[in-house]
């Protein structure tokens, strides 16, 4: 950590703290607003009538869960169908082919579950219509689904002796139209002013200054790659003086990609691509926009349950975890790769390959350098965003372990929009339960008794993702099809698979991208992990919201464990680290830890 | 379930049209009016023809030009229609081999230069389209470029300084040199 890194991290946290409260108050007002008076209410009235929605109708948890599932299933169908027929649809100037069934299914599951894992390269696979009408839409509504579920859970705490937890249609509509859309519009316009492209042009060809010579695979008469006797492709020399620049409506998707913690890039290189993330200033605001809504939702939680301290307590636990991991990631990356320092060494001169700015620059952009890249990597995985401005696969072993662990904690360090908060509240319930056992009192949280049913739902929600990650990794490692995708030899290859499953099941979407995951095996396996990683948590969370809402409120007494303040922050962090991390220690030891020891011992 | 179907379908269609059609079209319209150059790719035009984007790097191998970051795009480097990093892990022998090849190429083009090679000049960027290098990487190449063009090294160093930009607002990102702009300026000077 140099001065630049400290200032960057300090500025980031200061701005986040500054913005979280006003944004949180706004979200709480929007999501709990009444139905009378304003023009907003007038718009809603007209829209809901047209859609056949009774906006005052309270849904029980089961009805709410059915609505959420049905709405998301429609999204899955729509995104799948659009990709399968894109060649015959308009706004496809590059004539991108119809996407294969397994890849289309994977992408549909990925964007509907707010994962935005990408097995494909954006600029070489998706036409503009699919990017907009398929993917951008899911960027909005998957984030809105997360907000809706989080608010439903908060209502469970805030209400008492109630049958309903809100109206799913109204919640999804309000989160999309009154929260995500205005913010995205402002941010998209700012991005396009800074160089993020926004157009429907065909790819632009330019004449380059210098000649590029390269090797290209030789094709036979049928267009198949020729192979030599060893089975290696035969290459021939080629040269070009042109460069083709990919175009598209990027800014509009980029804005919601960050604000909705989606993370699916318009281009293959995601936020490392200069057309998605042209300057370090834009990069900083992209980082801030990832945490904006997840941070604000903590405050909204405090507002709705009527005790702002509760919200700040959750925020503090998330913030402390995040800052410690960010410092780790930046420090490890700044250490650099000891093997490269020796490469340039010659006996005669003993020249060493070092730079003024040391550090691991493989897979990083010069404008961002080490600190802005490693901080981005921590943020994007602490939140379930998954956008990347550097290639995590090329990080140092421990630098790359930070994003991996951030995901494995269950995406609760700010986490996804909505999903981060409901995930952390599940941990809070567990913390209260454990504390209750220790002091010998009935556990209660926010005036609600935590009983057997709540603990069952908590256990399901907490165990669903580790089960998917570890079983999925085991399947991939044991099968030929799984091992075939590995790009890097040794322990790092195992890390690639572990990262893919951790990313999918926790709905993050970033990758150790060397893994060749656009195969029927991985498309299928990861789609299953994404779907059950999402709804395997949402359904128990909603079930718990329902049972909490029905409970009577118990009043605070001298014997009540306070769930605000430093003591509870410590307890909460302890539970997250113990429960979240212990599941993964053996797997982490086989991957990043072994690799770290090898890297520094072969020096 | 039946009572949920109509609201689900109507709401899905409505939100799709608003966020998937109106919203991107509105952003496109405003961006085209307010920021036409930025929205269409920040193209650099010389004599009426686009010769590159100010945001996208180009491949340079001629000793008279400054070279940019190594690029891992396929099939050719700096393929702006297929961005990609190398995704080589830190222990992968292919990484050390690639770095060695790049160091050898730099040394072959500039045999007398025995200074340490800046790390960003021999490691692939994340996008494969990085338009910048570090000031150290530019300075490392200054003598070679000056010699190839029979220019005073001081003139070349001045051009480097002119095409460097500091951290944004003094705090964000790194100081960097814009390779394409620098090379265009060199061509203008020599001509």
């Amino acid at each position: 950590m140099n001065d630049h890194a400290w200032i960057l991290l300090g500025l980031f946290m200061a701005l986040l703290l500054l913005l979280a409260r006003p944004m949180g108050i706004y979200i709480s007002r929007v999501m709990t607003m009444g139905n009378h008076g304003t023009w907003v209410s007038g718009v809603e009235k007209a829209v809901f009538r047209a859609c056949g929605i009774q906006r005052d109708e309270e849904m029980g948890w089961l009805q709410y869960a059915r609505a959420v599932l049905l709405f998301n299933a429609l999204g899955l169908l729509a995104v799948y169908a659009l990709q399968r027929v894109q060649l015959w649809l308009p706004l496809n100037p590059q004539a991108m082919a119809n996407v294969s069934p397994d890849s289309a299914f994977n992408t549909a599951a990925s964007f509907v579950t707010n994962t935005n894992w990408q097995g494909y390269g954006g600029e070489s696979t998706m036409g503009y219509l699919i990017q907009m009408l398929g993917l951008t839409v899911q960027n909005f509504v998957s984030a809105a689904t997360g907000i809706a579920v989080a608010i439903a859970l908060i209502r469970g705490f805030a209400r008492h002796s109630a049958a309903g937890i809100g109206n799913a249609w109204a919640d999804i509509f309000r989160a999309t139209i009154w929260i995500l859309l205005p913010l995205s519009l402002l941010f998209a316009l700012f991005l396009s002013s800074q160089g993020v492209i926004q157009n429907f042009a065909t790819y632009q060809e330019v004449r380059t200054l210098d000649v590029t010579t390269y090797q290209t695979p030789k094709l036979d008469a049928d267009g198949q790659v020729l192979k030599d006797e060893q089975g290696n492709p035969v290459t021939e020399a080629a040269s070009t003086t042109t460069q083709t620049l990919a175009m598209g409506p990027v800014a509009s998707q980029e804005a919601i990609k960050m604000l909705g913690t989606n993370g699916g890039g318009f281009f293959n290189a995601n936020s490392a691509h200069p057309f998605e993330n042209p300057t370090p200033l834009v990069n900083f605001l992209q980082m801030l926009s990832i945490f904006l809504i997840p941070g604000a939702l903590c405050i909204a939680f405090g507002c709705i349950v009527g005790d702002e301290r509760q919200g700040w307590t959750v925020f503090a636990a998330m913030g402390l975890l995040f800052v410690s991991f960010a410092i780790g990631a930046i420090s490890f990356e700044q250490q650099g790769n000891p093997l490269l320092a020796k490469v340039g060494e010659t006996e005669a001169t003993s020249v060493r390959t070092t730079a003024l700015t040391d550090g691991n620059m493989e897979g990083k952009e010069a404008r961002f350098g080490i600190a802005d890249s490693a901080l981005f990597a921590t943020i994007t995985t602490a939140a379930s965003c998954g956008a990347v401005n550097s290639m995590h696969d090329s990080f140092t072993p421990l630098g790359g372990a930070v994003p991996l662990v951030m995901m494995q904690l269950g995406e609760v360090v700010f986490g996804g929009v909505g999903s981060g908060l409901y995930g952390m509240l599940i941990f809070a319930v567990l913390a209260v339960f454990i504390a209750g056992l220790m002091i010998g009192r009935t556990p209660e949280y926010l005036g609600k008794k935590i009983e057997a049913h709540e603990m069952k739902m908590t256990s399901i929600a907490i165990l669903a993702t580790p089960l998917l990650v570890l079983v999925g990794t085991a399947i991939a490692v044991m099968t030929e099809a799984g091992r075939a995708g590995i790009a890097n030899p040794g322990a790092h290859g195992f890390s690639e698979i572990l990262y893919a499953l951790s990313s999918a099941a926790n709905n993050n979407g970033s990758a150790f991208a060397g893994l060749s995951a656009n195969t029927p095996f991985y498309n299928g396996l990861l789609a299953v992990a994404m779907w059950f990683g999402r709804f395997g948590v949402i359904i128990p969370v909603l079930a718990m919201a329902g049972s909490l809402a029905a409970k009577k409120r118990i009043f605070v007494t001298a014997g009540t464990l306070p769930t605000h303040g430093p003591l509870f922050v410590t307890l909460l962090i302890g539970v997250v680290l113990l429960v979240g991390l212990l599941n993964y220690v053996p797997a982490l030891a086989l991957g990043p830890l072994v690799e770290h020891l090898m890297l520094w011992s072969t020096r | 379930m039946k009572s949920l179907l109509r609201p689900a379908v109507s709401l899905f269609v409505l939100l799709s049209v608003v966020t998937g059609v109106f919203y991107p079209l509105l952003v496109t319209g405003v961006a085209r009016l307010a920021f036409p150059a930025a929205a269409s790719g920040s193209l650099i035009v010389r004599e009426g023809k686009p010769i590159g984007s100010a945001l996208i790097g180009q491949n340079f191998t001629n000793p008279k030009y400054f070279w940019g970051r190594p690029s891992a795009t396929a099939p050719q480097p700096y393929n702006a229609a297929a961005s990609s990093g190398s995704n080589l892990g830190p222990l992968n022998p292919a990484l050390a081999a690639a770095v060695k090849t790049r160091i050898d190429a730099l040394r072959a083009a500039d045999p007398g230069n025995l200074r340490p090679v800046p790390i960003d000049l021999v490691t692939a960027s994340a996008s494969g389209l990085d338009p910048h290098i570090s000031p150290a990487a530019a300075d490392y190449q200054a003598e070679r470029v000056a010699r190839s063009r029979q220019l005073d090294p001081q003139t070349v160093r001045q051009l480097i300084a002119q095409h460097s930009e500091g951290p944004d607002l003094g705090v964000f990102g790194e100081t960097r040199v814009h390779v394409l702009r620098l090379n265009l300026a060199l061509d203008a000077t020599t001509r």
Side-chain angles (χ1 to χ4, degrees), chain A residues 79-89 92 95-108 119-122 124-127 130-131 135 518 523:
Chain A
V79 178
Y80 178 80
L82 280 169
Q83 292 177 82
R84 298 285 292 132
V85 297
Q86 68 164 341
L87 186 58
W88 305 304
L89 295 176
N92 186 0
M96 300 293 185
N98 295 332
V99 181
S100 70
D102 59 303
S103 176
F105 172 62
N106 180 277
T107 304
Y120 59 91
S124 51
T125 312
M126 298 292 176
I130 312 307
Q131 296 269 20
L135 305 184
N518 197 359
N523 280 332

Side-chain angles (χ1 to χ4, degrees), chain A residues 123 252 268 362-363 366 394 488, chain B residues 23 69 83 86 88-89 92 124 130:
Chain A
E123 65 267 53
S252 52
N268 187 42
E362 180 71 24
S394 298
N488 283 290
Chain B
Y23 160 70
R69 301 286 306 279
S83 57
S86 75
L88 294 177
N92 194 332
D130 196 341

Side-chain angles (χ1 to χ4, degrees), chain B residues 17-90:
Chain B
V17 171
V18 173
T19 61
V21 180
F22 289 161
Y23 160 70
L25 289 183
L26 181 63
V27 176
T28 311
V30 176
R32 184 172 290 174
L33 288 176
F35 324 108
S40 53
S42 309
L43 298 178
I44 301 176
V45 178
R46 286 282 181 282
E47 292 151 7
K49 289 202 180 103
I51 53 111
S53 162
L55 295 174
I56 305 288
Q58 290 184 7
N59 188 45
F60 291 101
T61 46
N62 191 322
K64 70 176 187 163
Y65 285 122
F66 281 90
W67 301 353
R69 301 286 306 279
S71 161
T73 60
Q76 77 271 29
Y78 285 92
N79 179 358
S83 57
S84 171
S86 75
N87 286 314
L88 294 177

Side-chain angles (χ1 to χ4, degrees), chain A residues 4 50 123 198-199 210 243-244 246 252 268-269 274 280-281 337 351-352 354 361-367 372 394 488, chain B residues 6 23 28 39 55 57 61-62 69 78 80 83 86-90 92 107 114 117 124 126-127 130 168 171 173-174:
Chain A
H4 165 67
E123 65 267 53
Q198 179 74 20
N199 60 57
D210 201 356
Q243 186 182 37
T244 304
S252 52
N268 187 42
L281 175 65
N337 183 341
V351 167
R352 293 177 69 88
T354 52
M361 280 302 286
E362 180 71 24
K364 295 194 180 62
E365 298 281 293
R367 62 192 179 284
D372 299 52
S394 298
N488 283 290
Chain B
R6 182 174 161 223
Y23 160 70
T28 311
L55 295 174
T61 46
N62 191 322
R69 301 286 306 279
Y78 285 92
S83 57
S86 75
N87 286 314
L88 294 177
N92 194 332
R107 296 235 166 102
L114 295 177
V117 182
S127 62
D130 196 341
D168 292 8
V171 283
E174 300 289 336

Side-chain angles (χ1 to χ4, degrees), chain A residues 386-430:
Chain A
V388 296
N389 78 346
S390 55
M391 293 302 138
H392 295 183
D393 212 351
S394 298
F395 272 34
T396 60
L398 293 186
V402 168
L404 190 54
V405 169
M406 295 285 13
M407 297 187 302
Q408 291 172 341
L409 291 182
E411 293 295 9
V412 295
V413 180
F414 293 101
V417 165
S419 59
L421 181 64
Y422 63 67
M424 195 52 139
L425 290 180
I426 290 286
F427 273 112
V429 167
L430 185 61

